[in-house]
């Protein structure tokens, strides 16, 4: 599931499991199911300048994937490439150089900002680390970046608690962009904000992406929000990508029953019907401690067939251009 052209960022068959046997004091605790299968054979590419939206329910592995792609956490298996370089094999010095080019904007702007530091210190810190800027240089650059994200120079000496939620997210955005990265992971950047503020931040991110020629991995659980900002979208269920393709195609003609259920869950204010399939999943998502065999969605799928319970579906293309892929036995060619 790669982007057309050479991708700037690429994940190849990435697995991530967490061992839950360690207790409070590092002792091993006997548990029958102790491995959390957070990611299973996840593959995708993001072309330079593209926004790939990643959508799925809470706990499906979206944020784990973000951290693995940035190598904030190592994958259990598989590889992540940045500009063709395997960063899963990169040493500490090489990763330090690459980190400037790959940044993250967090979901909770308040939790991600040090309450004891001023805005100048928070936004200027990456400059001091990555570019060894002097205090004076850093101050000038931070002031310019604050203006760019809609804040003011007079905010330099203020602390995070003196700002609204939307302003704090602008500080988080300024901190991510101050070192002029090429790739930015936006990890649910508007989920913690009031609806009235969400649109402002989304527009800001769109403008910054254009002006700074950024490449985004935009993570969210709101289809409307992710669809609005994305060129392509990937749909994740229980640690696996089940559908990927052009955002418009997925929003107008979702192929996977899980994607259809996500769309069916979007409330309609006009009360009218439309031509989208209305699939209602049954039950709750399974635990990543014990994912179901075969298709992981099968216990909830209204179209489940015998093969779904034993064989994991492989991704197949469902459009003429070969860019819309779905992992579902309904579309298997054999
Ligand atoms: Fe449903 Fe089977 Fe497709 Fe899974 S593979 S989504 S269970 S039809």
């Amino acid at each position: 599931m790669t982007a057309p052209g050479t991708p700037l960022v690429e994940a190849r068959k990435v697995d991530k499991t967490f061992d839950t046997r360690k207790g409070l004091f590092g002792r091993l605790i006997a548990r029958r199911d102790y491995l959390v299968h957070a990611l299973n054979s996840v593959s995708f590419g993001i072309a330079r300048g593209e926004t790939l939206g990643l959508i799925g329910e809470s706990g499906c592995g979206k944020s784990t994937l973000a951290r693995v792609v940035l190598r904030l956490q190592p994958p259990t298996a598989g590889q992540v490439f940045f500009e063709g370089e395997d960063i899963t094999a990169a040493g500490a010095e090489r990763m330090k150089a690459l980190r400037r080019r790959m940044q993250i904007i967090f979901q909770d702007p308040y939790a991600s900002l040090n309450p004891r530091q001023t805005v100048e210190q928070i936004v200027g810190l990456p400059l001091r680390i990555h570019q060894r800027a002097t205090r004076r240089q850093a101050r000038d650059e931070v002031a310019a970046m604050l203006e760019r994200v809609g804040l003011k120079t007079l905010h330099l000496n203020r602390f995070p608690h003196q700002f609204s939620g939307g302003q704090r997210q602008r500080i988080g955005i300024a901190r991510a962009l101050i070192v002029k990265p090429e790739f930015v992971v936006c990890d649910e950047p508007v989920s913690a904000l009031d609806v009235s503020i969400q649109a402002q931040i989304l527009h800001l991110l769109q403008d910054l992406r254009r002006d700074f020629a950024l490449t985004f991995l935009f993570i969210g659980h709101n289809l409307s929000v992710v669809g609005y900002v994305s060129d392509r979208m990937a749909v994740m269920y229980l640690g696996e990508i089940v559908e990927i393709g052009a955002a418009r195609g997925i929003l107008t003609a979702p192929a996977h029953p899980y994607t259809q259920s996500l769309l069916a869950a979007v409330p309609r204010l006009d009360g009218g019907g439309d031509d989208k399939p209305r699939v209602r999943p049954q039950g709750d998502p399974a635990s990543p401690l014990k994912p179901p065999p075969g298709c992981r969605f099968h216990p909830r799928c209204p179209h489940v067939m015998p093969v779904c319970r034993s064989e994991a579906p492989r991704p197949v293309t469902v459009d003429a251009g070969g860019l819309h892929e779905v992992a579902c036995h309904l579309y298997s060619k054999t």
Side-chain angles (χ1 to χ4, degrees):
M1 294 184 182
T2 56
T6 305
L8 176 67
V9 178
E10 187 180 5
R12 279 191 209 160
K13 296 192 172 178
V14 167
D15 292 353
K16 181 69 183 175
T17 53
F18 296 99
D19 190 329
T20 62
R21 286 176 299 176
K22 288 264 172 76
L24 190 59
F25 301 104
R27 284 201 316 240
L28 281 182
I29 299 169
R31 286 191 183 143
R32 222 175 53 156
D33 302 313
Y34 57 87
L35 285 180
V36 174
H37 302 267
L39 300 174
N40 183 41
S41 198
V42 172
S43 298
F44 62 86
I46 313 177
R48 191 179 281 279
E50 181 185 43
T51 295
L52 177 69
L54 182 64
I55 189 131
E57 293 163 302
S58 295
C60 73
K62 304 185 298 287
S63 292
T64 300
L65 180 58
R67 279 155 181 74
V68 170
V69 164
L70 294 172
R71 234 201 73 176
L72 299 173
Q73 291 178 345
T76 308
Q79 294 165 295
V80 177
F81 295 85
F82 183 78
E83 223 177 22
E85 178 178 350
D86 181 1
I87 64 169
T88 42
E93 270 305 301
R94 181 64 189 140
M95 270 320 297
K96 193 177 169 201
L98 287 170
R99 291 221 183 282
R100 184 197 67 73
R101 302 170 68 189
M102 303 186 291
Q103 294 289 314
I104 183 167
I105 298 166
F106 293 99
Q107 174 183 0
D108 184 343
Y110 195 62
S112 69
L113 303 177
N114 187 334
R116 293 190 184 82
Q117 290 188 332
T118 64
V119 170
E120 181 185 351
Q121 291 170 315
I122 291 169
V123 179
L125 185 63
L127 276 181
R128 309 285 294 267
I129 293 173
H130 292 290
Q131 297 180 358
R132 295 196 173 91
T134 64
R135 187 146 184 234
R136 180 62 197 261
Q137 288 168 333
R139 186 179 175 86
D140 290 346
E141 287 197 41
V142 171
M145 183 54 77
L146 289 186
E147 297 276 347
R148 185 63 194 80
V149 300
L151 297 171
K152 296 188 167 57
T153 306
L154 61 87
H155 291 138
L156 277 168
N157 297 320
R158 294 191 186 168
F159 292 88
H161 72 270
Q162 296 175 286
F163 293 89
S164 67
Q167 287 176 317
R168 285 197 286 260
Q169 193 53 293
R170 289 175 194 269
I171 296 169
I173 293 169
R175 177 179 55 184
L177 299 192
I178 192 78
V179 287
K180 301 187 174 55
E182 292 150 67
F183 173 56
V184 180
V185 172
C186 306
D187 189 3
E188 307 226 25
V190 297
S191 301
L193 303 177
D194 291 342
V195 173
S196 58
I197 306 298
Q198 289 187 5
Q200 295 174 16
I201 298 297
L202 289 175
H203 284 130
L204 174 65
L205 288 170
Q206 293 284 70
D207 289 347
L208 293 169
R209 174 193 150 189
R210 184 195 59 226
D211 295 350
F212 292 97
L214 296 168
T215 302
F216 279 165
L217 174 61
F218 191 101
I219 296 171
H221 60 264
N222 183 319
L223 261 176
S224 315
V225 167
V226 178
Y228 174 73
V229 298
S230 303
D231 301 304
R232 289 186 308 135
M233 282 171 63
V235 182
M236 193 164 214
Y237 184 78
L238 217 56
E240 296 180 342
I241 289 181
V242 296
E243 183 163 6
I244 188 167
R248 176 178 280 272
I250 287 187
L251 290 174
T252 55
H256 196 280
Y258 175 61
T259 315
Q260 293 169 1
S261 74
L262 286 178
L263 272 165
V266 176
R268 289 177 56 90
L269 294 178
D270 59 6
D274 56 27
D275 55 2
K276 292 185 188 111
R278 299 268 135 180
V279 176
R280 309 282 176 192
Q282 302 143 9
D284 297 319
S287 166
L289 277 166
K290 201 173 183 183
C295 170
R296 291 185 172 193
F297 189 58
H298 86 249
R300 306 177 72 195
C301 181
H303 304 296
V304 62
M305 302 172 283
V307 65
C308 307
R309 297 191 169 89
S310 57
E311 277 183 42
R314 297 164 66 89
V316 294
T317 57
V318 291
D319 67 332
L323 298 175
H324 187 164
E325 291 188 2
V326 183
C328 171
H329 287 302
L330 289 173
Y331 304 91
S332 295
K333 305 270 191 304
T334 53

